[in-house]
Amino acid sequence: MTAARRLIARGRVQGVFYRDWTVETAAALGLAGWVRNLPDGTVEAHVEGPQAAVDQMIAAMHDGPPRAAPDTVDAEQTSAQGYDRFERR
């Protein structure tokens, strides 16, 4: 069964390689989807894959790469879109 979540990371998440780190981490967990910066300074991601891997990704996004300082990561359930890889938008 495929789980899917829309994630919004808030805090110091732009200009600190957060998107590149998200791509690498999601790919390592076998997840598919995408990540992008939003104009309000947040980072949005759509992740889908096995529930355990999605949960691991959400937990990891609370820390992010070394220069990031996420304050919160909001997660909302969404529908899987059938992506075959994880990409930066």
Side-chain angles (χ1 to χ4, degrees):
M1 180 178 229
T2 300
R5 298 289 181 276
R6 176 181 179 255
L7 307 171
I8 301 289
R10 292 178 168 76
R12 192 173 68 218
V13 292
Q14 288 192 12
V16 292
F17 302 104
Y18 196 87
R19 285 179 299 160
D20 289 338
W21 171 89
T22 299
V23 170
E24 292 174 10
T25 304
L29 291 170
L31 295 171
W34 49 264
V35 62
R36 66 181 173 188
N37 283 344
L38 294 179
D40 65 359
T42 62
V43 170
E44 178 184 28
H46 172 94
V47 297
E48 57 186 57
Q51 183 67 57
V54 170
D55 291 343
Q56 284 181 300
M57 185 69 200
I58 294 168
M61 287 180 72
H62 281 90
D63 292 325
R67 292 178 41 206
D71 293 329
T72 62
V73 178
D74 300 328
E76 84 179 37
Q77 190 167 347
T78 190
S79 299
Q81 301 299 306
Y83 296 108
D84 60 357
R85 63 187 180 98
F86 201 92
E87 65 182 29
R88 177 181 161 169
R89 290 189 172 174

